[in-house]
Amino acid sequence: MNARTEPSEAEQSATARPPLVRELLLVVGLFLVYKFGRQLVTGHTTEAYRNAGRVWDWERTLHLPGEGSVQSLLLHGDTLAHLANTYYATVHFPATVAFLVWLYLKRPAHYVWARRVLALLTGAALVLHLVFPLAPPRMLAAAGLIDTAKVYGPSVYGPPQTDTLSNQFAAMPSLHFGWALMVAIGLIVATRSRWRWLWLLHPLVTLVVIVGTANHYWMDAIVAAALLGIALAVVHLPHRTATTAGRAQEKLAPAESEENVLVGAGR
């Protein structure tokens, strides 16, 4: 394929990129469905506390480390606890949006794949929120943890009784961790840098933050990772992207040239 007939990388990307308005409506619609769907669990306070006791007992049966061991690391100084609360409050959603925007602009085929995985993960999380309301460990007396956001700030939650913007009894699974892990996996898959594995620091830091601030149990992250694994198994990776296609053609070019030389020599 010569320069006149071979499509440029920009042309291939434009061809694969979904319509922007449709994607904005789809992503915003999915977010609103999830946001309002979580409110259906509001009022199941007794069940949420009962489930919290069950999760706490399950973790002890499985000999998982206590969430308090992580929180104690954050309580060595006010600054560290404040940073953890800030990370919890400000990084989760903007990082996921930035991830999708970058994929949409630079890796359209991977964007479609990642958006489908995130939609499936979020939908599964909503179902679990509905059938298994769960109070976070900061509300469980048996855990012996403090609400670091309330003590050190900043806090994204108000009193559970009057908080109409969020459902604080939807701790399992942790989408903070599930989305962070997907962001890391998506960037590792869609890029070729030798440093791309450092993206795993994002879910690792997120895990420390959500547990240390007493917003989630270990089990919340484990279930989120399991649901993400199922979503990744269901939604297959794109077989061919603009980037990989361009590299494949570059590798084939010498072989095609060599074949032409051999044919000419035979004549």
Side-chain angles (χ1 to χ4, degrees):
M1 182 178 291
N2 55 40
R4 290 177 297 176
T5 59
E6 182 178 0
S8 66
E9 182 173 329
E11 291 172 339
Q12 295 180 53
S13 298
T15 302
R17 187 175 294 117
L20 177 59
V21 175
R22 188 194 72 183
E23 290 304 309
L24 287 175
L25 292 175
L26 180 60
V27 172
V28 172
L30 288 172
F31 174 75
L32 291 177
V33 168
Y34 172 76
K35 194 70 175 178
F36 288 115
R38 280 169 57 108
Q39 298 303 317
L40 297 176
V41 191
T42 303
H44 296 184
T45 305
T46 302
E47 186 179 358
Y49 278 105
R50 186 185 303 116
N51 288 334
R54 291 170 179 168
V55 169
W56 185 259
D57 292 338
W58 292 341
E59 289 189 344
R60 307 294 77 79
T61 301
L62 295 173
H63 301 291
L64 293 178
E67 286 79 359
S69 61
V70 179
Q71 185 171 90
S72 63
L73 297 176
L74 301 182
L75 298 182
H76 283 300
D78 295 358
T79 302
L80 194 57
H82 182 80
L83 288 175
N85 295 328
T86 303
Y87 194 95
Y88 180 87
T90 62
V91 174
H92 166 58
F93 190 71
T96 307
V97 171
F99 164 68
L100 289 174
V101 170
W102 185 85
L103 286 181
Y104 181 85
L105 296 175
K106 299 296 185 179
R107 302 289 190 274
H110 284 87
Y111 162 79
V112 174
W113 163 72
R115 187 250 292 150
R116 289 173 178 169
V117 172
L118 283 171
L120 188 57
L121 169 63
T122 305
L126 177 58
V127 172
L128 193 53
H129 293 332
L130 296 175
V131 301
F132 194 80
L134 178 65
R138 56 188 166 82
M139 297 183 183
L140 183 64
L145 302 174
I146 68 170
D147 186 345
T148 60
K150 184 178 179 180
V151 176
Y152 300 98
S155 177
V156 296
Y157 302 121
Q161 299 80 5
T162 60
D163 188 355
T164 59
L165 297 178
S166 59
N167 175 23
Q168 300 186 46
F169 299 113
M172 181 182 288
S174 168
L175 282 183
H176 268 74
F177 181 73
W179 285 11
L181 185 58
M182 180 56 201
V183 167
I185 292 174
L187 290 173
I188 289 171
V189 170
T191 58
R192 294 292 179 268
S193 169
R194 69 178 65 182
W195 303 104
R196 67 188 186 277
W197 296 100
L198 291 177
W199 286 113
L200 290 173
L201 290 174
H202 176 42
L204 179 59
V205 172
T206 299
L207 179 61
V208 172
V209 165
I210 63 175
V211 173
T213 57
N215 282 295
H216 287 283
Y217 306 88
W218 294 112
M219 290 292 295
D220 298 340
I222 293 172
V223 172
L227 291 177
L228 177 59
I230 295 173
L232 289 170
V234 171
V235 183
H236 298 293
L237 271 168
H239 296 294
R240 188 181 181 88
T241 67
T243 303
T244 56
R247 291 187 175 183
Q249 289 166 358
E250 291 174 1
K251 292 180 179 179
L252 287 174
E256 291 176 354
S257 301
E258 183 179 350
E259 181 180 352
N260 292 334
V261 171
L262 293 176
V263 172
R267 294 175 184 172

